[in-house]
Amino acid sequence: MKKFLITGGAGFIGSHVVRRFVNTYPDYNIVNLDKLTYAGNLANLKDLEDKPNYRFVKGDIVDQQFIDELFETEQFDAVIHLAAESHVDRSITNPIEFVLTNVVGTVNLLNSARKFWKGRYEECRFYHVSTDEVYGTLGEDGLFTEETPYDPHSPYSASKASSDHFVRAYHDTYGLNTVISNCSNNYGSYHFPEKLIPLAINNIKNSKAVPVYGKGENVRDWLWVEDHARAIDVVFHKARAGDTYNIGGHNEWKNIDLIRLLCRIMDRKLGRAEGTSEKLITFVTDRAGHDLRYAIDSTKLQRELGWSPSLQFEEGLEKTVDWYLANEEWLNNVTSGKYQEYYSQQYKL
Ligand code: NAD
Ligand code: TYD
């Protein structure tokens, strides 16, 4: 397989996946298709601009004709699909965007793959990148496995669950060679500061209130983004057609404990007295329908395909803080203009 379409490659995880594939596989030609929404940023891929096996195309996966034309001219053999509306809070405010991009956009890509790959389904692969949020929420115990029934609660997770179902349906009905992975929360460089970790880093840096929803008791399972990109690489190359893998860090943190750890790291890095940043923690109204706990059992991926996470969380978080402090220009650019509007509407702080 030589000709790849990666969608959403200008976003957080997509940029790491594109970087990994472009640099690891010089014989793969990679087209990165991205609409460049508020979350897409070509500055995430500056180091790849001159690579001979990489090309950026601006476009919308909701436009079926455009996707068909791209498949026709580029003759892809593989799709790694990451383009999505990805933020739960935005899905609560504006669900229809999530239906369009996450559901309709995914079905459009499946339709093009089905049409242009006719007669060679076995050699072409459609990889759909999904989330653990499709499984709903856990109580105090237990882990999500690949057998956990889907039970999404937010418009975001409902749209991702729907897209997963369509991908499976195209495998079961038409025989398309599909693979799905469901990953836990990612963190690392190029993460847009609307999500918890980069938002908190930016606010602590600027000595602004750090909003924690409810009592900060919700638990997430955090994975370093480059470990996710490596898992996608392994799953893409080794999984059986129609299979699913869960990807996670075995790294559960209550939001409030995570934020306290981040405050301590930031105090140290910024030369502030211990305890300074913790004073910024501000408990705010809880998110509607807020899932209590996510935690992934990635035994299948570890056992069958030999993947495991590489970084301890403290080390990864420290690397992440270092990246944001060293990339002030990137952070200032993405938090100017429209971000300020979003922030004041969302938080009223
Ligand atoms: P992101 O919001 O940072 O990036 C999404 C990208 O998709 C952006 O570059 C955006 O411009 C592009 N995009 C949006 N709508 C588009 C459209 N209609 N056509 C073309 N491009 C469009 O998201 P992310 O955090 O990098 O997530 C990437 C994928 O991984 C998503 O499918 C998400 O559901 C999944 N995922 C994310 C996490 C996480 O922790 N962030 C965890 C598990 C799975
Ligand atoms: P987020 O990064 O939005 O990821 P997800 O909702 O997909 O898990 O949120 C992670 C956790 O942090 C989640 O429990 C909600 C919480 N949270 C806050 O407490 N404050 C915030 O400002 C944000 C954005 C999230």
Side-chain angles (χ1 to χ4, degrees):
M1 278 184 274
K2 287 277 164 38
K3 197 87 204 253
F4 276 66
L5 170 65
I6 301 186
T7 70
F12 165 47
I13 302 171
S15 63
H16 286 278
V17 172
V18 168
R19 180 170 295 103
R20 183 175 179 93
F21 274 73
V22 167
N23 288 335
T24 314
Y25 304 105
D27 55 329
Y28 292 174
N29 279 307
I30 289 158
V31 171
N32 167 18
L33 166 66
D34 198 295
K35 184 180 171 183
L36 299 182
T37 67
Y38 77 92
N41 184 355
L42 289 179
N44 298 358
L45 295 156
K46 263 200 157 7
D47 52 317
L48 300 182
E49 273 166 9
D50 298 327
K51 298 276 179 179
N53 62 335
Y54 169 72
R55 194 162 85 80
F56 174 72
V57 173
K58 185 169 190 257
D60 189 343
I61 58 169
V62 177
D63 181 347
Q64 178 76 80
Q65 194 185 331
F66 165 75
I67 300 295
D68 273 350
E69 283 165 12
L70 194 66
F71 266 75
E72 179 137 45
T73 48
E74 299 288 342
Q75 298 287 310
F76 300 119
D77 319 285
V79 173
I80 304 182
H81 174 37
L82 297 107
E85 287 292 336
S86 68
H87 189 37
V88 173
D89 292 327
R90 289 187 193 249
S91 82
I92 294 169
T93 318
N94 190 13
I96 196 70
E97 282 298 323
F98 288 69
V99 177
L100 290 172
T101 288
N102 298 2
V103 185
V104 177
T106 301
V107 176
N108 285 343
L109 289 164
L110 289 164
N111 282 338
S112 299
R114 189 183 155 216
K115 186 150 85 186
F116 289 94
W117 292 351
K118 215 153 240 159
R120 47 188 207 112
Y121 282 177
E122 262 173 44
E123 64 202 67
C124 298
R125 168 150 280 187
F126 190 104
Y127 188 139
H128 178 60
V129 175
S130 193
T131 166
D132 61 354
E133 303 192 24
V134 299
Y135 298 124
T137 186
L138 293 162
E140 301 288 320
D141 305 315
L143 299 171
F144 296 134
T145 72
E146 289 80 0
E147 273 72 50
T148 304
Y150 277 29
D151 182 23
H153 298 124
S154 73
Y156 164 65
S157 54
S159 68
K160 291 296 291 186
S162 171
S163 64
D164 291 12
H165 289 318
F166 273 104
V167 173
R168 284 201 185 88
Y170 273 61
H171 170 265
D172 296 348
T173 308
Y174 308 113
L176 211 61
N177 174 351
T178 62
V179 180
I180 300 177
S181 57
N182 297 85
C183 189
S184 61
N185 288 61
N186 285 212
Y187 71 96
S189 53
Y190 301 111
H191 203 181
F192 191 78
E194 64 183 352
K195 308 276 173 65
L196 180 67
I197 290 180
L199 184 143
I201 292 174
N202 186 42
N203 287 16
I204 294 169
K205 178 171 168 286
N206 295 313
S207 299
K208 281 175 60 181
V210 178
V212 174
Y213 297 162
K215 294 185 181 144
E217 296 286 312
N218 303 67
V219 174
R220 297 293 183 263
D221 177 0
W222 294 93
L223 179 69
W224 191 45
V225 64
E226 293 185 35
D227 281 335
H228 187 190
R230 185 166 48 85
I232 289 173
D233 183 347
V234 171
V235 172
F236 178 85
H237 288 100
K238 294 190 176 169
R240 286 177 303 270
D243 217 346
T244 294
Y245 286 89
N246 279 355
I247 308 171
H250 293 287
N251 179 44
E252 292 182 50
W253 284 79
K254 260 188 195 162
N255 291 340
I256 188 63
D257 295 338
L258 186 161
I259 293 298
R260 290 203 172 111
L261 170 64
L262 192 57
C263 286
R264 286 196 295 279
I265 294 175
M266 295 280 293
D267 281 345
R268 189 156 38 78
K269 300 272 176 195
L270 295 168
R272 293 178 183 165
E274 207 182 315
T276 308
S277 300
E278 270 205 39
K279 296 196 188 101
L280 299 169
I281 294 175
T282 307
F283 293 98
V284 298
T285 310
D286 208 353
R287 173 186 280 173
H290 197 172
D291 286 335
L292 177 67
R293 177 172 164 258
Y294 304 143
I296 279 275
D297 179 352
S298 62
T299 308
K300 180 179 171 191
L301 177 59
Q302 304 209 21
R303 240 191 235 143
E304 291 184 7
L305 307 186
W307 173 93
S308 58
S310 71
L311 275 190
Q312 293 298 312
F313 188 54
E314 281 83 348
E315 188 190 348
L317 202 54
E318 211 159 302
K319 267 170 103 104
T320 304
V321 169
D322 286 341
W323 186 87
Y324 279 91
L325 295 180
N327 288 275
E328 204 165 32
E329 195 184 334
W330 183 94
L331 192 55
N332 290 342
N333 284 341
V334 300
T335 51
S336 62
K338 283 228 176 304
Y339 179 83
Q340 295 302 332
E341 252 172 65
Y342 163 79
Y343 193 88
S344 51
Q345 268 172 18
Q346 176 68 24
Y347 292 100
K348 313 212 168 41
L349 280 172

